[in-house]
Amino acid sequence: MAFDTLPTPSTSYSTPSAGSPRRRQVLLVVLILVSVFLMSQWAREGDSGVLHRIQGALSSAVSPISSLGARSETVSDAASTALSDATASDERLSSLQEENEALKEQVAELSESEAQSERLTALLDIDSLYNLESVGATIINRTTDSYNRTVTIDKGTSDGLSVGMVVMCANGLVGQILSIGSSSATVRLITDEQSGVSAMLQSSRVEGVVSGSLEGMLYLEYIPTSDAVGVGDVIVTSGIGGVYPKGIVIGTVASVSGSSSDLYHTIVVEPISAVSSYEEVLVLTGSQTEVTTPTLEQLDAVGSSTTTDATASDSASDNTTSAAASDNTTNATTTQNTSGTTSGTGN
Amino acid sequence: MRRLSSTALAVTIVICLLLQLLVAPHVTILGVTPLFIMIPVLLLGMGHGPLAGCLAGFSIGLLHDLVGSGPVGAMALSLAVAGYVAGALLDGEARQSDEFTFVAIPLLASVALEEVIYGVLLLLMGLGASVVAVFGYRILPGILYTGIVSLVGLALLHRFATSSQRRMMNRSSHLH
């Protein structure tokens, strides 16, 4: 690759592409106006508008490239191994060492297969636990900017998916399909700042909204201070709005704050599913309005087989266990009886 | 700031787009993702002037908007302004200089402007967070992260371009 430099002008610093100051300013103003027009059009048109469709189509078109990013860690590991092998001298590499390396590779491959098998089994378990109609999908990429918490999955309209469908991982709610192409879809996570899920406390049935935030925390909002909330209380979807089926476990109450003069509690939610730990998800394709809420022990059993690294998940498990001990209302079959809205701003 | 040939520029743009698509999601720190596409915008703005920076910023930003999930036009606008400012802050003499130190202030100013404009635009478009949260959790860390990434990226390109030119000069002196 030749990064050859251009010749330096000897007499003048201006270049043909620089343009006159007036011309440059006019161009800047024009580009700003075009951008503002595009933004207003994007905000007004809704999910079926031209710009949203172009966005969906282009996201779908680049998804094969994006999926390379998901494999980059494996590739970099392989590259470093290859590099260390290449730099070692032949004398030092005996046949036993080679055999050892080959065996190590086999063990690594088998471990990977075992882990994948466990994850897929967990998804099947969650499918039967909640009695869901669903399609399995693999996460192929994650958000590319600081303001959106989204993931891209490898299933799209050709697999029967559509915008608005609910996405779950092995032990809880993940989010909702935001935009879709023929072979991929973008999922807005519940931790996204613009996400809002109508939810309720499982024990007291008090309803609120679970919202994401820029700092990455989940909050349960609009729970009046007159209602008692305890750390470890289980939060499930309320089904209001008809977007999320009623009864899916979202998480547990991690902390409650606020004074008696406040109108609402400030409740931090510990999500039961740490999406960063998962590679496979389920997209709910049926029109279920109710699910059978499993016990937290059941969810814990499913989650513990797949979650290995997340500290947050560990603390969530601790919370859920203590909550389960004090709460005898789990495993209740719930039915939807109301409708309203759940989506956050910009949806 | 050294200028690159059009081929080298094209390669840089493609590499930075790929970095944004493939690498950026995996190097997020505390929710803040670096903006690798800032590098070619700064490169064009500082190397070729405000007009080139502005056009490059708009084009690359629009592409980023279209393959992402945010509002279309927001990144295009913020990068267009950043590219323009990068070119406007670096005067002609500094633009032709071999010294890289001239670049630091326009670079940081452009990155800061881009992050502020993008954050404010999202707030205006209905982002439900408070101004304090946007500045504290996204804009300020974003300036730091993207600033460092851009500085390192431009320094590497500058060094590469300088050594390439030296090689070419040596080759031509041998021929004479």
Side-chain angles (χ1 to χ4, degrees):
Chain A
M1 185 170 63
F3 275 74
D4 48 326
T5 54
L6 293 175
T8 306
S10 55
T11 54
S12 169
Y13 292 120
S14 63
T15 61
S17 63
S20 68
R22 175 96 179 148
R23 189 179 152 206
R24 293 188 315 230
Q25 285 160 7
V26 169
L27 182 82
L28 179 66
V29 171
V30 168
L31 292 181
I32 288 173
L33 289 175
V34 172
S35 302
V36 171
F37 170 76
L38 287 171
M39 281 188 284
S40 61
Q41 188 65 23
W42 184 88
R44 276 190 309 168
E45 67 179 14
D47 290 340
S48 57
V50 179
L51 289 174
H52 281 80
R53 274 185 287 159
I54 293 172
Q55 237 180 348
L58 279 175
S59 296
S60 184
V62 300
S63 62
I65 304 169
S66 303
S67 63
L68 293 173
R71 295 174 204 148
S72 61
E73 287 173 23
T74 317
V75 172
S76 64
D77 288 348
S80 62
T81 308
L83 190 67
S84 63
D85 285 351
T87 51
S89 67
D90 290 338
E91 292 166 5
R92 289 173 62 197
L93 283 172
S94 65
S95 59
L96 276 175
Q97 280 176 315
E98 284 175 11
E99 192 181 338
N100 192 26
E101 289 300 315
L103 286 169
K104 276 182 182 173
E105 271 182 34
Q106 278 184 9
V107 169
E109 283 170 11
L110 285 170
S111 300
E112 179 63 24
S113 300
E114 189 187 357
Q116 189 177 24
S117 169
E118 280 177 1
R119 290 197 305 269
L120 293 173
T121 307
L123 278 180
L124 286 173
D125 288 347
I126 201 77
D127 201 21
S128 57
L129 266 179
Y130 277 106
N131 192 21
L132 303 167
E133 288 173 48
S134 59
V135 169
T138 304
I139 294 173
I140 55 174
N141 202 18
R142 295 171 197 275
T143 186
T144 57
D145 67 69
S146 301
Y147 288 87
N148 296 292
R149 288 286 156 265
T150 58
V151 292
T152 308
I153 56 172
D154 67 343
K155 296 282 166 62
T157 50
S158 57
D159 305 288
L161 307 189
S162 62
V163 171
M165 282 182 169
V166 176
V167 181
M168 295 176 67
C169 65
N171 54 3
L173 192 61
V174 167
Q176 187 183 12
I177 293 180
L178 179 67
S179 62
I180 196 160
S182 60
S183 59
S184 70
T186 304
V187 178
R188 172 170 281 162
L189 306 179
I190 56 170
T191 49
D192 187 287
E193 197 280 329
Q194 297 184 65
S195 170
V197 182
S198 44
M200 62 183 176
L201 291 160
Q202 195 180 39
S203 53
S204 63
R205 320 304 283 177
V206 180
E207 292 175 352
V209 176
V210 169
S211 305
S213 64
L214 282 181
E215 62 266 37
M217 308 275 269
L218 267 182
Y219 292 99
L220 176 60
E221 298 173 322
Y222 311 119
I223 301 292
T225 46
S226 53
D227 290 303
V229 183
V231 172
D233 283 357
V234 181
I235 299 157
V236 296
T237 51
S238 68
I240 292 176
V243 176
Y244 297 95
K246 189 176 184 179
I248 299 175
V249 178
I250 298 171
T252 55
V253 173
S255 72
V256 187
S257 57
S259 64
S260 57
S261 60
D262 291 338
L263 201 56
Y264 301 113
H265 287 296
T266 301
I267 301 171
V268 176
V269 180
E270 187 79 60
I272 198 153
S273 59
V275 74
S276 58
S277 310
Y278 294 97
E279 293 166 35
E280 292 88 15
V281 291
L282 287 177
V283 183
L284 307 194
T285 52
S287 54
Q288 302 103 312
T289 56
E290 62 175 274
V291 296
T292 305
T293 309
T295 62
L296 289 164
E297 286 89 346
Q298 285 173 313
L299 286 174
D300 241 10
V302 172
S304 62
S305 65
T306 55
T307 309
T308 54
D309 56 344
T311 313
S313 296
D314 293 341
S315 57
S317 300
D318 294 339
N319 286 338
T320 53
T321 307
S322 61
S326 62
D327 186 358
N328 296 321
T329 60
T330 52
N331 207 14
T333 304
T334 53
T335 54
Q336 181 172 352
N337 53 8
T338 50
S339 65
T341 57
T342 55
S343 57
T345 54
N347 291 330
Chain B
M1 182 68 203
R2 288 279 175 195
R3 290 171 61 185
L4 302 176
S5 70
S6 50
T7 312
L9 267 175
V11 171
T12 305
I13 291 169
V14 171
I15 288 173
C16 288
L17 284 170
L18 288 174
L19 284 174
Q20 193 66 44
L21 207 60
L22 301 177
V23 178
H26 303 284
V27 292
T28 296
I29 300 174
L30 297 172
V32 178
T33 309
L35 209 57
F36 289 104
I37 52 174
M38 194 75 197
I39 295 170
V41 175
L42 291 169
L43 198 65
L44 276 155
M46 292 186 197
H48 296 255
L51 188 70
C54 184
L55 282 170
F58 181 80
S59 314
I60 294 170
L62 191 60
L63 196 61
H64 178 272
D65 286 333
L66 288 172
V67 297
S69 52
V72 173
M75 188 61 80
L77 193 157
S78 51
L79 280 184
V81 175
Y84 184 92
V85 169
L89 287 179
L90 204 68
D91 62 17
E93 192 174 348
R95 196 170 296 145
Q96 302 302 328
S97 171
D98 281 352
E99 289 293 323
F100 187 70
T101 47
F102 288 112
V103 170
I105 290 172
L107 181 148
L108 289 175
S110 305
V111 170
L113 199 61
E114 184 281 326
E115 292 285 342
V116 170
I117 291 173
Y118 192 71
V120 169
L121 283 175
L122 289 194
L123 275 171
L124 291 174
M125 292 194 73
L127 188 76
S130 68
V131 176
V132 175
V134 169
F135 267 84
Y137 290 111
R138 289 295 179 268
I139 293 177
L140 295 178
I143 292 169
L144 189 68
Y145 201 178
T146 303
I148 291 169
V149 165
S150 302
L151 204 60
V152 171
L154 285 185
L156 288 173
L157 286 169
H158 180 78
R159 195 173 167 181
F160 204 73
T162 307
S163 61
S164 290
Q165 194 182 43
R166 279 195 194 129
R167 275 201 303 273
M168 284 176 69
M169 285 171 71
N170 287 341
R171 207 176 299 156
S172 60
S173 65
H174 281 303
L175 286 172
H176 290 295

